Amino acid sequence: MAGQARDPQSILREAAAIASLAPSIHNTQPWQWLVHEHDTELYADRTRQLLATDPDGRSLTLSCGVALQHAQVALRAAGYLPDVVRLPDLEDEDLLARVTLGGATAPSAECVRDYQSMLIRHMDRRPFADRAPSEAALRELTAAADAGGAHLHLVRPEQVTTVTMAVGRAGEVEQSEPAYRRELHDWTHRDLDSGEGLPAGVLPEPAARRVPIRDFAPDRDAALPDEPALADRYARYAVLYGDRDDPAHWLRGGEALGAVLLGVVRLGLAVSPYSDPIEVLATRQLIAREVLSGLGAPYLVLRLGVASPEQPPRARTARRPVADTVVPVPRD
Ligand SMILES: Cc1cc2nc3c(=O)[nH]c(=O)nc-3n(C[C@H](O)[C@H](O)[C@H](O)COP(=O)(O)O)c2cc1C
């Protein structure tokens, strides 16, 4: 509680543990927190980088950025202002942030709600309902991205075809690479109790969509009926982007993504991301040029909509044991 003398290390440890609920590319959870007596350090865990899918580490850093944003929400909800220094050591690019406890603060209602949203947030790849999210809700999400340190461009109707083409082309390029296919197979065929990767229950069923979702099971027979109904007709698409395409901006992009995803919960919407069109240079450039009009560097595409009550329930992804990702450092 605010103002009470609690052990800073245990407060920081709890915040880092909650932050492990953050989303990550293929649920790799590529982070490690070292929790010291008065601060905690967020490290990128390069052993968990998807070297074929994400050779630049863009999605890895975005994922860590969401974890950083979640930790800050947890600290505010616990009654402390987080003090964050991003990339504090020029000699160590894997040290992404150092977080200390600032002054005590009474948690706002918004912050408590964001904390609760972290506990139930998830990606939803099921086809959306035939109802569009409101413009006011979408505006709230773009404001959340701006406040979080990046931007969200709402794809205009006439730009959706470009996104569809980019996703399709990225899929062709990636599926033709054996290393990519091996990585995909590896991260989608884990046991449920391994606490990482994508369990079968969250993978999308074959569907004819306006913008196809990454094919997570390319070896599966995905035959559709002759004239399938088009799914996601009312989905809206958005591009998360920033001013530069470098790790410092990806980290802020991840923090903005965290704010957007918690906003999605608050607004009663559903979301799933597409990083495949960003992973391939040609389609990343296409989106930067044709969708963002050259105004920024794209980090992730989002599919936003209203969850359909007609869809079967969605499975959940699990997380690694907290002891693997949150490491208390004993006092000297
Ligand atoms: C940077 C990033 C990239 C992602 N790329 C994709 C993607 O291309 N396709 C997809 O269906 N999900 C994608 N995801 C969603 C993750 O697979 C998902 O967050 C993870 O499996 C954990 O599940 P949860 O978010 O439901 O807790 C991405 C997530 C992040 C943070």
Side-chain angles (χ1 to χ4, degrees):
M1 300 297 284
Q4 288 182 353
R6 279 186 59 199
D7 170 21
Q9 194 173 20
S10 71
I11 296 162
L12 291 163
R13 200 173 57 218
E14 278 171 28
I18 287 290
S20 67
L21 295 175
S24 54
I25 175 93
H26 291 8
N27 199 21
T28 45
Q29 305 157 60
W31 46 67
Q32 184 157 58
W33 296 89
L34 291 192
V35 187
H36 304 276
E37 200 178 340
H38 291 290
D39 63 41
T40 179
E41 293 173 322
L42 170 62
Y43 279 88
D45 182 348
R46 299 279 167 196
T47 65
R48 307 180 74 80
Q49 182 170 349
L50 302 175
L51 293 175
T53 310
D54 180 34
D56 301 332
R58 184 182 294 96
S59 279
L60 174 145
T61 311
L62 283 172
S63 305
C64 291
V66 187
L68 178 59
Q69 187 267 353
H70 277 24
Q72 292 174 70
V73 170
L75 289 176
R76 285 178 194 277
Y80 297 90
L81 286 171
D83 198 347
V84 181
V85 183
R86 295 168 186 83
L87 296 167
D89 186 349
L90 293 177
E91 306 282 295
D92 186 354
E93 59 180 21
D94 290 343
L95 175 54
L96 297 179
R98 182 173 290 126
V99 184
T100 39
L101 293 185
T105 176
S108 64
E110 290 78 22
C111 178
V112 172
R113 191 198 49 211
D114 276 353
Y115 182 89
Q116 290 166 340
S117 297
M118 284 195 298
L119 307 180
I120 57 170
R121 182 217 59 80
H122 59 74
M123 301 302 183
D124 190 342
R125 300 180 185 80
R126 301 170 302 174
F128 289 151
D130 284 344
R131 185 151 63 86
S134 74
E135 290 301 320
L138 295 170
R139 271 198 304 276
E140 273 199 46
L141 297 179
T142 55
D146 287 339
H151 312 289
L152 199 62
H153 168 79
L154 296 175
V155 174
R156 293 194 297 276
E158 69 273 17
Q159 295 178 317
V160 174
T161 320
T162 305
V163 178
T164 307
M165 277 172 50
V167 167
R169 179 69 190 137
E172 284 168 12
V173 171
E174 292 193 310
Q175 295 290 354
S176 70
E177 291 170 12
Y180 168 86
R181 289 176 76 107
R182 262 197 308 278
E183 218 164 53
L184 190 68
H185 180 275
D186 196 18
W187 286 96
T188 49
H189 286 73
R190 300 282 169 113
D191 292 338
L192 247 190
D193 59 9
S194 74
E196 57 193 6
L198 294 161
V202 302
L203 300 182
E205 291 296 323
R209 301 184 189 248
R210 280 172 78 203
V211 180
I213 288 186
R214 188 196 294 271
D215 187 355
F216 285 99
D219 299 325
R220 170 177 70 177
D221 177 15
L224 292 169
D226 281 348
E227 288 186 26
L230 187 64
D232 292 342
R233 282 182 306 150
Y234 290 82
R236 288 296 304 267
Y237 300 90
V239 179
L240 178 78
Y241 70 100
D243 297 335
R244 300 268 298 274
D245 205 21
D246 62 25
H249 288 80
W250 300 336
L251 190 66
R252 294 305 298 242
E255 293 182 69
L257 175 61
V260 170
L261 295 177
L262 299 186
V264 164
V265 178
R266 178 176 73 243
L267 294 160
L269 297 177
V271 60
S272 74
Y274 303 78
S275 49
D276 32 350
I278 310 297
E279 288 153 10
V280 172
L281 176 64
T283 54
R284 184 165 74 247
Q285 288 175 336
L286 179 70
I287 289 180
R289 201 176 55 239
E290 303 291 328
V291 182
L292 299 180
S293 307
L295 288 179
Y299 302 155
L300 199 63
V301 177
L302 298 179
R303 182 183 70 112
L304 296 158
V306 177
S308 166
E310 287 157 24
Q311 292 294 320
R314 199 201 62 94
R316 290 193 76 96
T317 51
R319 294 295 183 270
R320 302 157 71 197
V322 166
D324 289 1
T325 55
V326 181
V327 181
V329 180
R331 291 155 211 214
D332 294 332

